[in-house]
Amino acid sequence: MPPSWAAPPWANQSRARELEFVLLGFAHVPALRPMLAVLFLAAFLLTMLGNSLIVLLTSLDVGLRTPMYFFLRQLALVEICFSLDVAPRLLVTLLQPGRGVSPTSCALQMLLVLSCVTSECFLLTVMAWDRFLAICRPLRYGAIMSPQLCYLLAATCWLSGIPVSLFLTIWLFNFPFCGPRGIRHFFCDIAPLLSLVCADTSVFEATVFVVTVLVIMVPFCLIAASYVMILAAVLRMPSASGRHKALSTCASHLIVVILFYGTTGVIHLRPKASYSPESKQVVSLSYTMVTPMLNPLIYSLRNKEVKAAFGRVCCGR
């Protein structure tokens, strides 16, 4: 009876490398990679610092313990999770090009990205509804936005993205991948992974479109409707100072909504659209790196209450 030979260890390692994906983010500009790494590292550190400061201020300062700042803290926590999921892998891709990513790591990153995007969409919707109640229903605002309802809404926003993201991630990674495993993106996302699938994905793409409409477009329409009613209520205010104060509380949120929804909708409504991979990378940077970095600046620079809270917390006043 012939002896059974075990496969050498390096055979398993080479097999594992064949199954790995390789992120090819910004491979079209190799000379700019070191400079991009420095820029993205600075953006990542600013994102972590700014959002952590928002979380700290809204947790410690008594003057910021209102529903609006409670949801702002939840948004800052989502941005921190988002950045921790995307930025480190992006920096590794730029500094160590060609490094492989296991299918499990790729699937986990995509799961977290989709979950964070979903949570942010719903959080921005809840924040718009909060502003609608504060401006259009001021007498009932305190009774409606109770702490129990705030915690329930926050938990719903955090958890609602998990089942949808898990469903799409498992479905996508059950497709057969063939040919070169280079992902022409700086993180694992639906669109670049679909280009590597050698099977019919029409049903999956239709499902992604429906999910995108439900998760992105429906909340966006609700936000737009909220702001139409807010604007109508503001225009009926007799005092110019009252109109200015009401609009100033909404301006920061509206800027964030435009930045976030304008870019995520372009990418996810048509995952196999004819946009070049390079243009998709630039658009994706807007909601993965730029928006999380700008959110603390937008909300704090335009907000006297946040500035005052910063003075009280940092200077002990």
Side-chain angles (χ1 to χ4, degrees):
M1 187 173 185
S4 59
W5 296 95
W10 58 82
N12 294 331
Q13 293 175 2
S14 60
R15 174 63 178 164
R17 287 195 199 95
E18 289 176 6
L19 296 175
E20 285 183 341
F21 295 102
V22 177
L23 291 170
L24 303 175
F26 304 100
H28 59 293
V29 284
L32 296 179
R33 281 187 166 188
M35 184 183 70
L36 290 175
V38 173
L39 290 175
F40 294 149
L41 176 61
F44 173 63
L45 294 176
L46 285 173
T47 298
M48 298 302 295
L49 177 63
N51 285 288
S52 299
L53 192 59
I54 291 290
V55 173
L56 184 68
L57 291 177
T58 54
S59 300
L60 297 180
D61 190 77
V62 180
L64 299 184
R65 291 178 185 173
T66 63
M68 182 176 77
Y69 293 109
F70 171 78
F71 292 119
L72 178 58
R73 178 164 71 246
Q74 305 306 312
L75 181 64
L77 288 171
V78 170
E79 300 291 26
I80 289 173
C81 295
F82 206 171
S83 298
L84 287 172
D85 184 37
V86 173
R89 180 79 67 185
L90 169 58
L91 294 174
V92 170
T93 300
L94 291 171
L95 298 175
Q96 296 181 350
R99 182 169 178 174
V101 180
S102 69
T104 303
S105 298
C106 191
L108 181 60
Q109 185 184 41
M110 182 177 133
L111 171 68
L112 293 174
V113 165
L114 295 179
S115 182
C116 287
V117 168
T118 305
S119 296
E120 186 158 350
C121 286
F122 292 155
L123 265 174
L124 291 173
T125 307
V126 170
M127 292 172 75
W129 183 62
D130 172 73
R131 291 299 83 209
F132 163 75
L133 290 176
I135 294 173
C136 301
R137 304 288 187 272
L139 298 180
R140 299 179 56 195
Y141 178 72
I144 296 174
M145 295 303 292
S146 63
Q148 293 80 5
L149 180 61
C150 290
Y151 285 121
L152 178 62
L153 290 172
T156 303
C157 292
W158 276 100
L159 298 176
S160 57
I162 296 176
V164 175
S165 307
L166 194 61
F167 170 68
L168 292 178
T169 302
I170 292 174
W171 189 357
L172 179 56
F173 278 84
N174 274 325
F175 281 118
F177 294 96
C178 54
R181 293 211 163 197
I183 301 175
R184 298 178 68 181
H185 212 322
F186 57 87
F187 69 94
C188 295
D189 200 8
I190 291 176
L193 283 167
L194 271 180
S195 63
L196 305 180
V197 173
C198 48
D200 181 21
T201 59
S202 55
V203 177
F204 178 80
E205 290 177 56
T207 305
V208 170
F209 179 82
V210 172
V211 170
T212 303
V213 169
L214 293 176
V215 170
I216 295 180
M217 299 312 298
V218 170
F220 179 77
C221 292
L222 292 175
I223 292 172
S226 297
Y227 274 102
V228 168
M229 290 184 283
I230 287 172
L231 183 61
V234 168
L235 292 177
R236 290 196 298 268
M237 291 181 178
S239 167
S241 61
R243 289 195 297 269
H244 180 267
K245 183 179 179 181
L247 289 175
S248 65
T249 60
C250 300
S252 303
H253 182 253
L254 197 56
I255 293 171
V256 172
V257 166
I258 293 171
L259 283 173
F260 181 76
Y261 280 96
T263 52
T264 52
V266 168
I267 293 294
H268 292 102
L269 275 174
R270 296 179 62 197
K272 266 194 172 179
S274 58
Y275 312 120
S276 69
E278 290 74 24
S279 62
K280 287 182 180 179
Q281 289 180 53
V282 173
V283 174
S284 297
L285 277 175
S286 298
Y287 71 90
T288 56
M289 296 292 292
V290 178
T291 304
M293 179 185 66
L294 292 181
N295 278 357
L297 298 175
I298 292 171
Y299 281 110
S300 60
L301 291 179
R302 298 181 57 87
N303 195 312
K304 294 179 180 178
E305 292 177 346
V306 174
K307 294 177 184 177
F310 181 79
R312 289 192 295 268
V313 172
C314 294
C315 304
R317 292 183 298 181

